[in-house]
């Protein structure tokens, strides 16, 4: 039986928005980090910007994969919070910290031994050395980043995302002066160029961790969780539970990132104008994507808490309310993007040739937002039910197979019968939009079946 009533939107949507608002602000603050790094490094030198682009692509791929694994703490702690088993949350956080520690060692090893990854680009030795330095510096901040992800998952699980948002905004305020200091130099410190961004990021990452730990330590809200009640050795059963859920989530993030990375690499073959136009549209799409992403994280929190409280009908109801609201909102955003496409392009002030090339891609952004909203909402709802393996399989088949594979066939007109409108970059965006639509249909079907199964079996929470 499908549990969804339009009349309940008045109750469900405000609850979702209450959590999603701070999450959205925090996500945009993090995006602003990348914008500042790119803009300020571009003024230093083209070589430093190239090194930043290479190193960032490698770091982001590693980072999202590792943090995806740790994010499994959120639905697990969310269910415990909903079940009012507060004293068990502290143990889950301690075990997630052990997992983050192990993943940090793996991540640091890759970052300081990235020579083979950098060699793929065949750039000059100077650019490659700058990229190596950038990655080596970021390795120093990876322990803080992973620790922070554990604390972020905890705050999402217990409906306190605003704490993290405030700390992220403090970090954003520090980013500009620290970038100025370490990129260009000052106060006796020699300018480092692109690698200076990494120094600023590492300082902020450790500051974030220390501020959040201090807040958790002294705020009475966290005392029932017994986070610092005792020292815990690794509990391999609990760590394995986190890994079973977190590993598919990490791979799902990796699939999403790499699908866009390879899409950019293929479009680069079409020339500088095509790549520049694609980059502008992709950047705009990333900013807009923060809206359904924030709503989806908030939905996961509420659904997991309802499951923990054994309110299974309520959990499904919240899920479908979010699907309806998020999709409606993104349809509205998509229409707005299409209507104001010229004005939005003017914000980037690209050359006229790039502007002309980019205009048709806005049609795909309009459709893309709807499908993206459906799939990301369904995926996060499934994580609340601790379902992550089959969504990973769906992502791999749709984003890599249909999206990249279909985009390649259309973009390069492999079979010689592709309509002109769907050739070039348009073909890749069409393939990506179709793949997201397919993923959305499959994930929503999986959500429906999962909710039915839970309602019939009422399984106990096993950790």
């Amino acid at each position: 039986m499908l549990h969804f009533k339009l009349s309940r939107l008045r109750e469900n949507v405000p609850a979702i928005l209450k959590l999603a608002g701070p999450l959205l602000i925090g996500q945009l603050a993090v995006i602003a980090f990348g914008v500042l790094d790119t803009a300020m490094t571009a003024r230093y030198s083209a070589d430093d910007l190239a090194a930043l682009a290479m190193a960032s692509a490698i770091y982001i791929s590693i980072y999202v994969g590792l943090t995806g694994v740790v994010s499994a703490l959120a639905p697990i702690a969310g269910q415990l919070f909903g079940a009012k088993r507060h004293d068990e949350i502290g143990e889950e956080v301690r075990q997630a910290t052990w997992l983050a520690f192990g993943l940090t060692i793996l991540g640091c090893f890759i970052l300081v031994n990235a020579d083979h990854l950098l060699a793929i680009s065949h750039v000059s030795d100077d650019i490659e050395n700058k990229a190596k330095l950038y990655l080596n510096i970021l390795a120093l901040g990876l322990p803080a980043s992973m620790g922070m992800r554990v604390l972020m998952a905890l705050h999402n699980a217990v409906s306190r995302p605003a704490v993290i948002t405030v700390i992220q905004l403090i970090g954003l305020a520090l980013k500009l002066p620290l970038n100025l200091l370490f990129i260009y130099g000052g106060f006796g410190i020699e300018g480092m160029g692109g690698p200076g961004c990494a120094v600023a990021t590492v300082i902020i990452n450790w500051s974030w961790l220390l501020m959040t730990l201090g807040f958790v330590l002294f705020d009475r809200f966290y005392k029932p969780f017994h986070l610092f009640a005792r020292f815990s050795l690794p509990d391999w059963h609990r760590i394995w539970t986190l890994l079973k859920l977190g590993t598919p989530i990490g791979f799902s993030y990796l699939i999403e990132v790499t699908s866009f990375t390879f899409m950019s690499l293929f479009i680069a073959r079409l020339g500088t104008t095509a790549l520049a136009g694609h980059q502008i549209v992709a950047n705009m799409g990333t900013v807009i994507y923060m809206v359904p992403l924030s709503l989806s994280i908030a939905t996961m929190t509420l659904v997991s808490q309802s499951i923990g409280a054994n309110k299974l009908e309520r959990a499904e109801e919240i899920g479908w309310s979010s699907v309806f609201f998020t999709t409606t909102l993104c349809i509205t955003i998509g229409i707005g993007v299409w209507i104001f496409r010229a004005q939005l392009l003017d914000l980037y002030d690209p050359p006229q040739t790039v502007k002309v090339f980019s205009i048709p891609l806005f049609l795909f952004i309009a459709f893309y937002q709807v499908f993206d909203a459906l799939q990301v909402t369904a995926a996060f709802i499934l994580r609340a039910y601790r379902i992550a393996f089959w969504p990973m399989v769906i992502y791999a088949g749709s984003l890599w197979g249909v999206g990249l594979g279909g985009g390649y066939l259309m973009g390069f007109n492999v079979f010689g019968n592709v309509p002109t409108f769907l050739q070039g970059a348009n073909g890749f965006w069409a393939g990506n939009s179709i793949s997201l639509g397919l993923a959305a249909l499959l994930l929503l079907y999986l959500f429906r079946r999962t909710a039915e199964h839970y309602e019939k079996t009422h399984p106990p929470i096993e950790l």
Side-chain angles (χ1 to χ4, degrees):
M1 180 179 178
L2 183 67
H3 297 289
F4 173 61
K5 295 179 181 178
L6 285 174
S7 59
R8 296 302 296 271
L9 286 173
R10 290 184 178 181
E11 179 183 347
N12 295 333
V13 171
I16 293 170
L17 289 174
K18 183 179 179 181
L19 296 179
L23 286 166
L24 176 59
I25 295 171
Q27 296 284 354
L28 293 175
V30 172
I31 287 179
F33 272 53
V35 173
L36 283 174
D37 285 350
T38 301
M40 298 176 76
T41 303
R43 295 191 174 195
Y44 189 85
S45 79
D47 283 357
D48 281 82
L49 183 59
L52 175 68
M54 288 171 53
S56 295
I58 293 171
Y59 178 77
I60 290 171
S61 298
I62 296 167
Y63 177 74
V64 298
L66 297 179
T67 56
V69 178
V70 175
S71 69
L73 173 65
I76 292 174
Q79 289 188 12
L80 290 171
F81 187 73
K84 300 189 185 305
R85 293 159 60 179
H86 296 164
D87 57 325
E88 296 180 44
I89 292 176
E91 184 60 30
E92 289 299 325
V93 171
R94 288 189 289 273
Q95 296 307 317
T97 303
W98 278 114
L99 177 59
F101 177 73
L103 293 172
T104 298
I105 294 173
L106 174 63
C108 287
F109 178 79
I110 297 172
L111 290 174
V112 300
N113 294 280
D115 304 60
H116 296 296
L117 295 172
L118 292 170
I120 295 173
S121 299
H122 300 290
V123 295
S124 68
D125 290 342
D126 185 50
I127 293 177
E128 185 172 325
N129 288 333
K130 286 179 180 290
K132 285 180 186 176
L133 179 58
Y134 183 94
L135 292 174
N136 288 339
I137 294 170
L138 285 181
L140 298 174
L142 190 60
S145 297
M146 295 298 290
M148 189 64 185
R149 292 303 297 192
V150 172
L151 293 171
M152 288 173 68
L154 167 66
H155 282 81
N156 288 338
V158 299
S159 300
R160 296 201 94 191
V163 173
I164 300 297
T165 300
V166 170
I167 290 172
Q168 286 173 325
L169 290 174
I170 292 172
L172 179 59
L174 293 172
K175 183 64 173 171
L176 179 61
L178 287 173
N179 266 11
L180 285 170
L181 178 62
F182 291 106
I183 294 175
Y184 305 111
F187 300 104
I189 298 174
E190 186 177 349
M192 299 174 65
C197 297
V199 176
T201 298
V202 168
I203 293 172
I204 291 170
N205 284 343
W206 282 105
S207 299
W208 274 350
L209 180 63
L210 294 174
M211 283 189 288
T212 310
L213 281 174
F215 191 84
V216 170
L217 184 61
F218 294 109
D219 193 314
R220 296 181 62 182
F221 172 82
Y222 303 93
K223 287 187 177 179
F225 307 141
H226 302 294
L227 297 173
F228 306 104
R230 66 179 184 274
F231 174 80
S232 295
L233 292 172
D235 182 331
W236 299 114
H237 172 69
R238 291 181 184 271
I239 290 175
W240 176 242
T241 300
L242 286 164
L243 279 172
K244 280 194 298 183
L245 179 59
T247 302
I249 294 175
F251 273 111
S252 295
Y253 285 157
L254 195 61
I255 290 166
E256 288 188 77
V257 170
T258 54
S259 65
F260 250 97
T261 299
F262 281 105
M263 184 174 163
S264 298
L265 292 174
F266 287 138
I267 291 176
R269 298 182 184 180
L270 302 173
T272 304
T273 299
L275 182 59
H278 162 74
Q279 188 60 37
I280 289 173
V281 174
N283 179 259
M284 195 174 301
T286 299
V287 174
I288 297 172
Y289 174 69
M290 294 302 107
V291 174
L293 178 62
S294 301
L295 290 167
S296 299
I297 295 172
T299 302
M300 179 185 69
T301 297
L302 295 176
V303 172
S304 62
Q305 289 176 1
S306 296
I307 293 171
N310 205 29
K311 299 177 180 177
L312 302 181
E313 291 186 10
R314 175 77 175 138
E316 185 182 358
E317 183 185 90
I318 292 170
W320 287 116
S321 294
S322 181
V323 169
F324 180 85
F325 174 74
T326 304
T327 304
T328 303
L329 179 61
C330 286
I331 288 173
T332 306
I333 292 173
I335 294 171
V337 166
W338 176 250
I339 293 173
F340 296 104
R341 58 192 181 278
Q343 291 84 350
L344 290 169
L345 263 178
D346 287 339
L347 295 176
Y348 291 84
D349 194 24
Q352 186 62 30
T353 53
V354 174
K355 185 180 293 188
V356 171
F357 181 89
S358 302
I359 286 291
L361 297 181
F362 276 78
L363 179 63
F364 296 106
I365 279 202
F367 285 106
Y368 175 94
Q369 295 307 318
V370 179
F371 299 143
D372 215 10
L374 284 168
Q375 67 84 17
V376 72
T377 305
F380 272 85
I381 292 170
L382 286 165
R383 289 171 193 174
Y385 284 92
R386 302 199 195 184
I387 304 293
F389 176 78
W390 286 112
M392 177 191 70
V393 174
I394 290 170
Y395 277 134
S398 58
L399 297 183
W400 280 346
V402 176
L404 274 179
Y408 186 93
L409 294 177
M410 288 188 289
F412 293 117
N413 193 16
V414 173
F415 295 117
N417 57 357
V418 177
T420 303
F421 177 72
L422 291 177
Q423 294 179 24
N426 285 10
F428 284 98
W429 276 93
N432 192 259
S433 298
I434 293 169
S435 73
L436 288 173
L438 176 61
L441 286 174
L442 294 173
L443 290 169
L444 287 170
Y445 173 76
L446 185 57
F447 165 39
R448 179 75 187 94
R449 292 298 301 271
T450 300
E452 284 181 352
H453 173 72
Y454 261 68
E455 188 175 349
K456 290 177 181 178
T457 59
H458 294 275
I461 301 175
E462 295 180 2
L463 297 173

